[in-house]
Structures are given as structure tokens and as C-alpha cells.
Amino acid sequence: MAKKAPRRTAERILLTTLDLFNRYGEPNVSTTMISAELNISPGNLYYHYPSKDELVNTLFGQFETALHELLGAAEGVRDVEDAWFFLHSLFELIWQYRFLYRDLNHLLSRNRRLETHFPAILMRKRTAVRQILDTLAAPGNGTPPTLEEDHARNAVAATMVVVLTYWLSYEYVLNPRGAMEPANAEDALLRGAYHVLGMLAPHVNDEARAHLTTLISAYDAKNISS
């Protein structure tokens, strides 16, 4: 069996940085800590990434690319099974880059790229969720919503985006010492997905609501107690 090629130093730096940022929060991780974790010199780290902001921006770029691709899949959502998979995948991506959400307000205050790009991310999330709401409420018949329905769907789409964006902050406040640990990923994802899916229920047709209720009830009770 052929041996796998060793990861390039730049890739190893990114993976280690992401792990440290996710576990301890970006403000609490220095470049010295990153180089020590990798057992490389600070000079080697700076050769690849001249500053911590460069690391943040590179990781954010990876996240943004993956998110853009995922949100584009909202056009393919046709039923509640698709919606469940879409929202769960979105939570998984957020968890993968959870430092962005855990420290979002701090990062926005000091990183110009995030400050200028993140509002568009929220709007794309909102557009994707609204598209899913429209599809599930009136599958295939193309009936436009009434003005009242339009306002209600806009409101629930915005609320769902707020929960998607700040769910991990909520988890962190409840359990500052353990919420961001990898061992807690599944529980956090299930709780978040449970609450977001629940917001869909009042705004979909009867058949979709019945199926959605079945999907929601399948979540283990211990994972949705928060």
C-alpha cells in the first residue's frame, strides 16, 4: 500500500489553527501557541502566514466558499426530508468553523473582511431559508403568498437565521467549559436543528407538517432538553 503524502506545512498550520480557535476561541490563541502546538518555529509560521489575521481570513475564505456552495443547494429542496438534510448540513458546517460564530462580534469589530462579508452571508442564509419556506408551503403549484403570508415567512426566515447564527453562543453560555469540545458536537447539532426545524412547522402545508413532526420527534429527548 502506497504511503500517504505528508501534509504540507501550510495545510498543517491551518488545520491546527482551526482546532485551537474552535476549542479556545480566536482571541485566546496566539501565533506562539500555534507554532508550539505544531512544534515549528514562529519564523516558519510567519513564512506561511505573516499574521494571525491572515490565518483568520484564510479559514474564513474556506468557510465562505463551502457555505456559498451549500446555500446554493436550497434550490434543490423539494420536501421536508431535503429541508432536514439541508439544515443539518448547515449546522455541521457552522460547527466545523465554530470559532467564527463563538467570537463573531469580537471578530467583526477588528477584522475588516469579516465586517464587510458577514452581512451578505446572513442575507444569503435568509434568502435560502425563505426559498425553502416557499417550496414547502406551496409545493409545485407556484401560488404566490398573500401579503400577510409574505410578511410571516420573512419574519420566520429572519428568526431561523438568528438561531442558526447564534445557537453556538447560546450553547457556550450554558456550558462555557465544554460546549465547544468535539465530544459535544452531535448534541449541539441535534438541539440546534430541532429548534430550527420546529420553526418551519407552522408555515408549511398539512402533509409536510405531518412529515416534519415525525422527523422532529425522532430526535433523542436527551439531545433537545436545552
Side-chain angles (χ1 to χ4, degrees), residues 4-224:
K4 291 183 178 179
R7 288 195 176 105
R8 294 182 301 130
T9 300
E11 183 183 356
R12 289 176 55 234
I13 291 171
L14 278 182
L15 289 171
T16 298
T17 300
L18 179 60
D19 179 61
L20 292 174
F21 281 179
N22 282 342
R23 293 191 68 184
Y24 303 113
E26 183 273 341
N28 302 316
V29 176
S30 65
T31 53
T32 301
M33 184 187 300
I34 296 168
S35 59
E37 184 75 13
L38 285 159
N39 197 27
I40 63 175
S41 69
N44 195 354
L45 176 64
Y46 293 139
Y47 172 78
H48 294 282
Y49 299 99
S51 67
K52 193 165 81 163
D53 274 348
E54 188 72 18
L55 287 163
V56 171
N57 288 339
T58 303
L59 290 170
F60 175 69
Q62 292 179 347
F63 165 77
E64 194 172 26
T65 298
L67 181 66
H68 182 73
E69 181 179 349
L70 176 57
L71 293 180
E75 296 180 2
V77 171
R78 293 290 177 264
D79 52 37
V80 292
E81 290 272 1
D82 291 342
W84 171 85
F85 184 76
F86 174 86
L87 291 169
H88 199 84
S89 298
L90 186 52
F91 267 108
E92 286 183 333
L93 182 60
I94 290 171
W95 179 267
Q96 184 181 353
Y97 292 90
R98 56 194 176 276
F99 81 94
L100 292 169
Y101 288 82
R102 167 180 170 167
D103 303 312
L104 182 57
N105 290 349
H106 166 82
L107 288 167
L108 291 175
S109 71
R110 55 174 294 274
N111 186 296
R112 180 62 178 164
R113 183 175 179 186
L114 268 69
E115 180 187 355
T116 56
H117 284 229
F118 228 93
I121 285 176
L122 296 186
M123 290 303 100
R124 288 200 296 268
K125 284 183 186 177
R126 183 170 173 175
T127 298
V129 171
R130 173 60 199 265
Q131 188 171 20
I132 290 171
L133 279 165
D134 288 340
T135 299
L136 296 183
N141 63 24
T143 304
T146 65
L147 184 60
E148 183 178 355
E149 288 172 336
D150 184 65
H151 289 331
R153 292 180 197 174
N154 279 337
V156 74
T159 303
M160 289 172 71
V161 169
V162 170
V163 175
L164 283 164
T165 303
Y166 288 101
W167 181 259
L168 290 182
S169 294
Y170 171 76
E171 292 273 345
Y172 179 70
V173 170
L174 289 177
N175 181 17
R177 295 183 180 274
M180 297 296 112
E181 293 297 323
N184 296 320
E186 184 178 5
D187 286 358
L189 288 171
L190 287 176
R191 282 192 291 266
Y194 168 84
H195 289 292
V196 171
L197 283 167
M199 293 182 206
L200 283 176
H203 303 277
V204 300
N205 63 62
D206 292 342
E207 182 181 355
R209 187 179 304 114
H211 193 179
L212 184 61
T213 300
T214 299
L215 286 172
I216 292 174
S217 66
Y219 285 98
D220 191 331
K222 75 180 179 65
N223 289 320
I224 58 176

